[in-house]
Amino acid sequence: MPSESDLQRAVARRRTFAIISHPDAGKTTLTEKLLMYGGAIQLAGAVKARRASRHATSDWMEVEKQRGISVTSSVMQFEYEGHTVNLLDTPGHEDFSEDTYRVLTAVDAAVMVIDAAKGVEAQTIKLLEVCRLRNTPIITFVNKFDREVRGPLEILEEIEETLRIDCAPVTWPIGMGKTFRGVFSLHDDRLLRFRAGQERAEADGELIEGIENPRLDELFPDEIETLREEVELLRGASAPFDPELFLAGKQSPVFFGSGINNFGVRDVLEALLTWAPEPQAREASERLVEPAEAPFSGFVFKIQANMDPKHRDRIAFFRICSGRYQPGKRVQHLRLGREIRLGNALTFMANERVTSEEAVAGDIIGIHNHGQLQIGDTLTDGEALSFRGIPHFAPELFLSVRPKDPFRAKQLQKGLKELGEEGAIQVLILGGGRTVLGAVGQLQFDIVRHRLAEEYGVDAVYESVALHTARWLKFPNPAMAEDFARQEASSLGRDGVGNPVFMATNRYNLELAEERWPEVRFVATREHGELMAD
Ligand code: G4P
């Protein structure tokens, strides 16, 4: 029987993170290089295949194609220098979906990739906001220095201003594009020389120790003076890396490099191992759960349908928060109040040669799901716990839906119920029984339309509705809830689990209602499991 301290050691070895970026900044490339360090792939085949299909980003068929691959590539686990690293994929398409947000609730750190030519882009801003909800520590990689890009200081300023996070440069680039010479590590006082085209992980560049090293004068007579000045300036003026601020999500260590040339990537990986936190304690509504506690616990953060539409089984992605998973484990499903057996849960090894027979806090397992698991569900050894912080966002896009053939209404309801549970879409019922789909990104509609037809055989009519936004309602007492229901009946709906929702036809409509009902809370983000009614 493994002891508690074995468990502690196993947990301490884990690092669980996601890469966040705007499309095209270089997330796939970085993923690929990181996996190479882990020996998980030899050359870039697997990940490149995904990149090939990346271009048609908003096209549903492409998403469909990716779906098959992404079940296995949603989580990639690899070993590096005695650590077990779990890299969680965030969906790559431009259209933003709630899925991405939820993946970020399951990580302990994130690597943010910035395209040095484009700077901070829209999707990065959104993703960082989500990381901020949980103060997730962020490591920044400024990519593409082999190209003509913006100056490093300008980029740092933009990150600090736009993303409101302090930057602590750890490495500093010398030149860019054709004159990119390498990066100087302010931390280790040494220069890593750039050579293009380092396809393989082991081919690291030459290291030159010390900023005053005469070899630098020899190699870079034109650049060395500027570099020395910049290094002096940075050492004097920029904030040094502070592990505490980093762990609190307030400061980000910044690395420069070129993913495609495998340059600067190892620095990021080393930072993940040495600075990023091991699996952290998780807050449940009842108490804080420590990762090395022996009793098992964790939560479902994502549900993904399988490719084969005939087999409607789905994979529930489950983050372990404490204890140990072993095949065949029996756990308590708290929402359903019954025991289930995790017979053949999947562990996700990017390297197929390694098989993992057990998983601990920080690891992700995939549970075959025939509808019994929903996003946010907690499984434990028996203790009543409910993990917090899995967000649902008020939808901003709406479509009403009804079956073309009224005799298919049942199938439509079933499909919507399941897709709603999966988190693919939000299903809202308005007064009068009208069903409205709510989404955060347009692509969610395309996916639902396609899946309702393919998987549930429902031909439906979708119509635009004059809705601007929705807000969950929190009432101070049941009497006010009743009052509100009477007076605002035409704007009142219910979400998939029965929470009251205010449906606003425009912004003023919402503002007016907020003024009229100062004691009612109009909520834009709710946590999973949080019931709004008193
Ligand atoms: P993403 O997953 O964030 O969407 O980005 P991805 O890694 O797919 O990279 C987007 C594009 O940027 C790719 O070019 C990739 O080769 C290129 N890229 C990534 N890192 C670097 C870098 O360090 N330097 C340069 N110069 N380019 C980089 P593509 O032309 O769209 O695809 P491909 O033809 O290279 O496959």
Side-chain angles (χ1 to χ4, degrees), residues 282-456:
R282 289 265 154 176
E283 220 172 302
S285 297
E286 297 74 9
R287 66 180 182 89
L288 197 65
V289 177
E290 295 292 337
E293 286 177 22
F296 177 84
S297 71
F299 62 91
V300 175
F301 63 92
K302 174 185 166 104
I303 291 186
Q304 183 144 13
N306 256 338
M307 265 303 270
D308 187 348
K310 283 185 237 62
H311 296 103
R312 217 177 285 144
D313 77 320
R314 299 174 269 172
I315 307 283
F317 288 81
F318 182 88
R319 151 115 190 185
I320 301 177
C321 295
S322 66
R324 229 178 252 280
Y325 160 80
Q326 274 155 336
K329 184 168 179 56
R330 291 176 180 283
V331 293
Q332 195 65 26
H333 186 318
L334 292 157
R335 184 175 51 82
L336 299 184
R338 65 175 169 87
E339 191 181 79
I340 60 170
R341 186 171 172 272
L342 305 180
N344 51 351
L346 308 168
T347 48
F348 300 95
M349 307 301 292
N351 185 345
E352 277 162 65
R353 284 168 300 171
V354 187
T355 53
S356 166
E357 283 297 298
E358 70 164 19
V360 302
D363 290 337
I364 312 297
I365 56 174
I367 305 169
H368 288 284
N369 176 25
H370 306 283
Q372 79 276 29
L373 289 171
Q374 295 179 9
I375 288 170
D377 278 348
T378 300
L379 305 176
T380 71
D381 272 345
E383 186 182 350
L385 289 175
S386 140
F387 286 103
R388 303 204 339 221
I390 297 171
H392 291 266
F393 294 87
E396 289 159 14
L397 303 166
F398 302 89
L399 271 186
S400 81
V401 57
R402 61 183 164 84
K404 214 172 236 170
D405 172 0
F407 291 107
R408 307 286 297 167
K410 251 204 174 131
Q411 274 81 355
L412 177 67
Q413 289 315 325
K414 181 176 185 328
L416 288 180
K417 180 173 177 289
E418 293 189 5
L419 294 174
E421 285 168 1
E422 217 178 275
I425 199 84
Q426 296 192 42
V427 182
L428 302 157
I429 310 292
L430 305 194
R434 194 168 175 208
T435 305
V436 167
L437 305 180
V440 175
Q442 185 65 34
L443 185 68
Q444 286 177 264
F445 289 140
D446 301 343
I447 293 176
V448 164
R449 197 188 301 242
H450 180 91
R451 290 186 56 192
L452 279 177
E454 290 291 308
E455 295 170 29
Y456 298 88

Side-chain angles (χ1 to χ4, degrees), residues 13-81:
R13 274 206 315 272
R14 259 64 183 182
R15 294 291 180 276
T16 301
F17 76 105
I19 304 181
I20 58 174
S21 72
H22 192 84
D24 261 4
K27 179 173 68 114
T28 312
T29 309
L30 186 66
T31 303
E32 183 180 291
K33 303 296 177 191
L34 289 172
L35 292 179
M36 274 163 61
Y37 276 105
I41 51 171
Q42 296 309 314
L43 270 176
V47 188
K48 259 200 182 130
R50 294 178 49 228
R51 201 203 292 167
S53 60
R54 174 183 49 96
H55 284 289
T57 40
S58 273
D59 177 332
W60 156 244
M61 287 319 287
E62 286 303 326
V63 175
E64 174 86 334
K65 246 191 253 163
Q66 285 177 22
R67 198 143 60 105
I69 313 167
S70 61
V71 167
T72 47
S73 65
S74 289
V75 180
M76 291 158 273
Q77 189 182 75
F78 62 93
E79 302 286 322
Y80 184 72
E81 290 188 349

